[in-house]
Amino acid sequence: MRGDKFLTESGLLSRKEASAAIRGGRVCVNGLPLRDPARHIDPATDQVTLDGEAVGYAPFIYYMLNKPEGYVSATEDGHLPTVVSLLPPQAQKRDPFPCGRLDRDTVGLMLLTDDGALAHRLLAPKSHVAKSYRFTCAEPLCAEAEALCAAGMTLGNGDLLRPAGLVCDDDRMGGVITLSEGKYHQIKRMAGALSNRIVTLERITFGPLALDPALPRGECRPLTDAEITALRQAAGQ
Ligand code: URA
């Protein structure tokens, strides 16, 4: 990898600053000044310093996003803003993607990463990684809603669902539902099968990750080492 790309992707400098730092002799590789921004660096073996401080290179990036309404769960869209556009510019350079989808009007916890293998494992249907959502609905939930979810509902098109956990609020105008699969518009379609309609939907957990209460809507933060380890365990890595 080019020296300037290495510094940019480590998140410390913009590409322009990295070039200037290298040309200015502030960057050393294995103790020797780099000087040429295009010179190759091997992140696995080379020791890189900037102004004498070691520069670490993360092989992958992992961000928790508190998704706001109006953003699409995609890397590109011709018309609408994407969740990727909410990441810091240096993280966007790593070509991250959302791990799974939330509807445009769904808010809350989203994982963005460039670790394709981990994402693939977390999203594989056989992984059954649990995801929970806080929701409100248009009508009070019927008395049988918990039992029907626990038994595994059949949707209007014949889709048979895995058992889901439903804990209703006291007034039954919402609650928390936990799924171990992710079918298209699943919660909205489940509400429809119960002759109801979802009004608001927020994802609050994804496997071992819980939406950080200190993370404002529309903002993101890198996952902690403990969160990354827990995710890998959930994915069987
Ligand atoms: N179920 C839905 O209906 N929408 C989502 O965004 C997520 C789960």
Side-chain angles (χ1 to χ4, degrees):
M1 172 187 304
R2 286 174 59 114
D4 52 359
K5 189 163 195 272
F6 174 92
L7 285 167
T8 309
E9 294 196 351
S10 69
L12 289 176
L13 302 173
S14 69
R15 190 75 170 240
K16 207 168 150 192
E17 289 166 341
S19 256
I22 293 168
R23 291 188 203 284
R26 294 168 55 204
V27 180
C28 289
V29 178
N30 304 323
L32 297 173
L34 183 57
R35 301 284 180 202
D36 177 5
R39 216 195 87 192
H40 182 84
I41 286 179
D42 183 345
T45 54
D46 287 329
Q47 304 291 318
V48 183
T49 57
L50 171 66
D51 299 330
E53 298 282 331
V55 180
Y57 182 81
F60 296 112
I61 55 163
Y62 305 91
Y63 276 83
M64 176 186 293
L65 169 70
N66 187 345
K67 179 189 175 297
E69 262 191 69
Y71 284 75
V72 288
S73 303
T75 51
E76 281 175 27
D77 189 277
H79 305 286
L80 295 163
T82 70
V83 287
V84 171
S85 71
L86 295 166
L87 294 181
Q90 73 273 17
Q92 291 184 41
K93 294 201 177 88
R94 299 281 297 251
D95 291 332
F97 53 86
C99 181
R101 287 174 180 272
L102 291 176
D103 295 339
R104 182 150 51 110
D105 56 354
T106 300
V107 298
L109 175 55
M110 206 155 203
L111 169 67
L112 291 110
T113 181
D114 57 351
D115 184 344
L118 181 73
H120 181 76
R121 277 172 167 260
L122 289 169
L123 298 175
K126 65 174 177 358
S127 297
H128 304 312
V129 171
K131 295 154 200 116
S132 48
Y133 299 79
R134 159 144 283 288
F135 67 93
T136 58
C137 47
E139 309 289 336
L141 285 153
C142 60
E144 307 78 36
E146 289 94 330
L148 288 167
C149 286
M153 291 174 59
T154 307
L155 298 179
N157 67 346
D159 271 359
L160 185 62
L161 300 182
R162 289 174 54 78
L166 174 62
V167 178
C168 293
D169 294 340
D170 288 347
D171 63 3
R172 302 191 69 78
M173 293 298 292
V176 173
I177 185 161
T178 304
L179 309 180
S180 59
E181 60 190 341
K183 295 199 188 297
Y184 181 67
H185 290 332
Q186 182 164 338
I187 296 173
K188 291 174 183 161
R189 289 160 69 211
M190 289 171 83
L194 295 170
S195 308
N196 210 321
R197 183 173 57 80
I198 295 296
V199 177
T200 62
L201 189 56
E202 176 187 36
R203 184 154 70 191
I204 53 175
T205 71
F206 178 83
L209 300 183
L211 181 60
D212 185 340
L215 192 62
R217 196 81 80 209
E219 294 200 8
C220 62
R221 66 154 173 82
L223 292 192
T224 63
D225 288 347
E227 286 170 331
I228 296 169
T229 303
L231 262 188
R232 292 215 176 100
Q233 273 168 4
Q237 276 189 339

